[in-house]
Amino acid sequence: MVRTRFAPSPTGYLHIGGVRTALFNWLFARRHGGQFILRIDDTDQQRNVAESLAPILHGFRWLGLNWDEGAEIGGPYGPYYQSEKLPRYQDAIRTLLDNGAAYWDYATEDEMKAERQEAEQAKKPFTYSRRWMAETPADRAPFEAQGRKAVVRLKIPREGKCVFDDRVRGRVEVEWTQEADHVIQRADGSALYNLANVVDDFDMKITHVIRASEHLSNTPRQIFIAEGLGYTPPEYAHLPFVAEPGSKNKLSKRKIADYLKHPDFKKLYEHGERIAKTLGLQIAPETFNPVVVAFYEQVGYLPEAIVNYLLLLGWSLDDKTEFFTAEEMMQAFSLDRINKAPASFDAKKLFSFQERYMNLLSVEQKVAMTLPYLQQLGLAQDKLADVVQAAADRIKIAGDILDYTAFFIPGDQLTYEEASFDKRLRAPAEAPGLLRKFAASLAELEPFDAPSIEKSLQDFVQAEGIGHAQIIHALRIATTGKAVGFGLFESLAILGKPECLTRIEGALARLA
């Protein structure tokens, strides 16, 4: 049975590139009727942030990438937290020591530094002399007597090569002389990533390791460890990284200031920022960043749109198919269609996926998505369905409902776009008089619906001998506080006659 895994470290928020890797693992397992495991790489206790784990797990659930075994749900091959497996790792390290694949090393940091400097001065590649190596109790005794502390290093061959077939990159060959004697156990007895990774993959019966290309350099040493422990290594597939917007450099959570120079990225960020500020959310790079999955959930993206976009970030079925249901993704996904080159993060394309998926929703579904945003601000909700229907495709992400707060507040709380108010109501001398006259027409109007309001306005401009623009703009500003929005007649009908008249009177009073 195919078994894949994703092993995030609880050191920060869920990176969009990491999610793409997890998605490919999830799809490969589903495609082959296998299982997807989520384990937690928390061997580095100094870097782990306990509160970061919950958002990571929540992010996967929000995206629909549910796991079959692992964190929080357990399974037959646990524990799934590396911090709980120290005795198991130490057993594996003893095995490597016993069979000569590893050794105790008593060199100090200064001694190792001196050897490196000597190699640099001689302009030669650094190869550790193993001068402070100890393989037997007798070897260790003199060093222990000096009070030295030992790490455990791999005893990498000094000749030959490591050869393996990568499911994305093809045949890979690495000369063993290019590998160092990597540390697998710290002086305090804790295990390092490469050792823990190999043991976990074996214990959890992982068949395919699908991971980012930056881990390619770890593969030879992990194969060496696996063979030293008598394991058959899993199959490997190293994915190209997700690149920066318009660049071939790796996408980073820490470089948002640079990415904001890219127009499409800036537009996407500022769209979300506007929503977040309305909600009173904290705006900080580490918590509000389009490179982080939480950004999209906060401002109201659809998880299906994010997943569909990430599927095509370095993978394609053909040159024309872009939109996939979850079932279609599972049926179509294969490792041989992964592009070997990095794929740039394209904010414009991601947003186009969101628009497409949003437009497929019913009014009822959009109401369910947008309702929490009104609830967070304590706004009235009785007109929500009408506003959603009238706004139609103007609501591109759920948080866009906050562009229409004028419909969910009492008229005396209405705020105005000052420049538009001055331009459309204060500057034109005839505007107040026309607005007062039309309000009188509205007061007599029955029924108060969009077609009736439109006819009333047509009759009014004809009777007054004016152009539509002379009353329409003033009317919109007076009733909604904004210069633009969805249809004016629908807007007035949704507000209702009493509210419209109250708001017009309030705008005229403001002028006076």
Side-chain angles (χ1 to χ4, degrees):
M1 175 183 287
V2 167
R3 287 173 61 85
T4 65
R5 51 77 167 171
F6 185 71
S9 298
T11 56
Y13 292 85
L14 197 55
H15 187 284
I16 208 83
V19 174
R20 195 276 305 263
T21 298
L23 172 64
F24 284 10
N25 275 277
W26 185 81
L27 287 172
F28 188 77
R30 297 290 179 262
R31 172 72 176 83
H32 295 281
Q35 295 173 318
F36 172 61
I37 292 86
L38 183 66
R39 72 169 185 247
I40 306 303
D41 179 2
D42 57 352
T43 55
D44 190 346
Q45 292 297 310
Q46 292 184 340
R47 293 181 64 237
N48 292 335
V49 181
E51 58 269 24
S52 292
L53 180 57
I56 288 173
L57 301 182
H58 174 78
F60 280 119
R61 290 193 172 104
W62 178 67
L63 291 166
L65 303 184
N66 296 319
W67 52 102
D68 302 293
E69 299 171 24
E72 293 191 341
I73 65 173
Y77 303 108
Y80 294 93
Y81 295 81
Q82 292 184 335
S83 58
E84 299 176 6
K85 295 188 66 173
L86 181 58
R88 174 71 179 97
Y89 300 146
Q90 290 176 333
D91 285 344
I93 290 167
R94 280 192 289 270
T95 299
L96 293 172
L97 288 165
D98 291 344
N99 65 22
Y103 61 89
W104 297 97
D105 180 48
Y106 287 88
T108 65
E109 287 187 17
D110 289 342
E111 288 164 344
M112 290 295 290
K113 183 178 179 180
E115 284 210 357
R116 291 182 183 279
Q117 290 176 339
E118 185 178 340
E120 289 176 7
Q121 290 170 359
K123 297 183 179 179
K124 293 180 180 179
F126 170 67
T127 302
Y128 177 39
S129 68
R130 296 176 179 165
R131 176 181 171 185
W132 294 275
M133 175 177 71
E135 296 183 283
T136 67
D139 295 337
R140 297 181 65 187
F143 294 124
E144 293 285 339
Q146 296 174 29
R148 289 174 176 257
K149 300 293 184 180
V151 298
V152 176
R153 292 183 181 275
L154 295 175
K155 194 174 183 181
I156 296 292
R158 295 288 169 88
E159 59 182 13
K161 62 179 67 173
C162 176
V163 180
F164 63 95
D165 291 317
D166 188 285
R167 293 289 298 270
V168 173
R169 296 171 174 271
R171 186 178 178 86
V172 178
E173 298 185 6
V174 178
E175 297 288 339
W176 284 122
T177 53
Q178 296 178 21
E179 286 290 314
D181 286 359
H182 303 283
V183 176
I184 57 173
Q185 180 178 285
R186 301 180 182 91
D188 64 5
S190 60
L192 273 77
Y193 168 80
N194 281 302
L195 184 283
N197 196 279
V198 172
V199 172
D200 287 346
D201 286 344
F202 174 77
D203 288 352
M204 297 173 192
K205 302 187 183 301
I206 302 303
T207 60
H208 295 77
V209 173
I210 304 168
R211 59 188 181 184
S213 58
E214 56 258 40
H215 290 289
L216 182 62
S217 61
N218 290 321
T219 305
R221 63 202 69 158
Q222 290 178 2
I223 289 175
F224 179 79
I225 292 170
E227 292 176 343
L229 293 170
Y231 305 163
T232 299
E235 292 191 53
Y236 291 95
H238 289 90
L239 312 175
F241 58 74
V242 177
E244 299 171 342
S247 166
K248 294 184 179 180
N249 298 321
K250 183 182 175 184
L251 187 68
S252 169
K253 289 186 286 189
R254 298 174 180 84
K255 296 174 66 177
I256 184 172
D258 293 336
Y259 304 157
L260 289 175
K261 298 172 185 175
H262 191 281
D264 293 333
F265 190 96
K266 183 179 180 181
K267 183 177 180 181
L268 184 145
Y269 177 83
E270 290 180 342
H271 188 172
E273 183 183 43
R274 185 178 74 247
I275 293 166
K277 285 183 175 178
T278 303
L279 290 173
L281 295 177
Q282 179 187 10
I283 305 294
E286 65 271 18
T287 60
F288 197 81
N289 183 336
V291 180
V292 173
V293 169
F295 170 90
Y296 300 97
E297 183 181 8
Q298 287 182 80
V299 301
Y301 281 72
L302 287 159
E304 299 91 335
I306 303 298
V307 169
N308 197 154
Y309 170 73
L310 291 177
L311 170 69
L312 299 177
L313 203 54
W315 180 91
S316 63
L317 178 64
D318 49 42
D319 60 356
K320 60 181 184 296
T321 309
E322 286 196 323
F323 296 97
F324 295 82
T325 64
E327 185 61 35
E328 288 169 344
M329 291 183 198
M330 295 178 202
Q331 293 300 319
F333 186 79
S334 63
L335 295 175
D336 58 358
R337 293 186 180 277
I338 295 173
N339 195 323
K340 294 180 177 63
S344 293
F345 179 83
D346 187 335
K348 184 176 182 179
K349 187 169 185 179
L350 186 154
F351 193 74
S352 73
F353 274 90
Q354 169 62 22
E355 287 184 287
R356 161 75 179 246
Y357 275 85
M358 198 71 172
N359 288 338
L360 295 175
L361 298 184
S362 66
V363 170
E364 292 74 20
Q365 289 171 313
K366 288 183 180 180
V367 166
M369 280 188 69
T370 55
L371 178 60
Y373 293 86
L374 299 187
Q375 292 173 331
Q376 285 185 67
L377 294 179
L379 299 177
Q381 302 147 30
D382 55 306
K383 298 181 175 68
L384 179 55
D386 292 332
V387 172
V388 166
Q389 185 164 11
D393 60 3
R394 288 173 180 265
I395 298 179
K396 301 183 184 301
I397 59 180
D400 284 344
I401 193 65
L402 299 182
D403 289 337
Y404 304 101
T405 53
F407 293 92
F408 309 110
I409 59 175
D412 59 0
Q413 294 179 16
L414 185 65
T415 58
Y416 302 90
E417 294 174 349
E418 289 296 337
S420 299
F421 188 92
D422 290 344
K423 180 179 179 180
R424 300 299 185 182
L425 272 171
R426 198 179 300 280
E430 75 280 5
L434 291 173
L435 195 55
R436 184 172 283 105
K437 282 186 179 180
F438 187 63
S441 298
L442 290 179
E444 302 299 323
L445 185 63
E446 290 293 343
F448 199 81
D449 55 27
S452 300
I453 297 169
E454 181 176 12
K455 184 177 186 308
S456 177
L457 186 134
Q458 298 288 1
D459 294 343
F460 180 78
V461 298
Q462 187 173 0
E464 295 292 325
I466 61 172
H468 287 77
Q470 289 175 271
I471 183 63
I472 283 178
H473 298 304
L475 185 57
R476 184 183 290 279
I477 288 291
T479 53
T480 69
K482 295 186 176 184
V484 296
F486 54 78
L488 175 61
F489 308 120
E490 289 83 356
S491 296
L492 299 181
I494 291 170
L495 287 169
K497 185 194 295 186
E499 186 67 23
C500 286
L501 296 177
T502 297
R503 292 186 179 200
I504 292 171
E505 193 62 37
L508 291 172
R510 192 171 192 262
L511 284 171

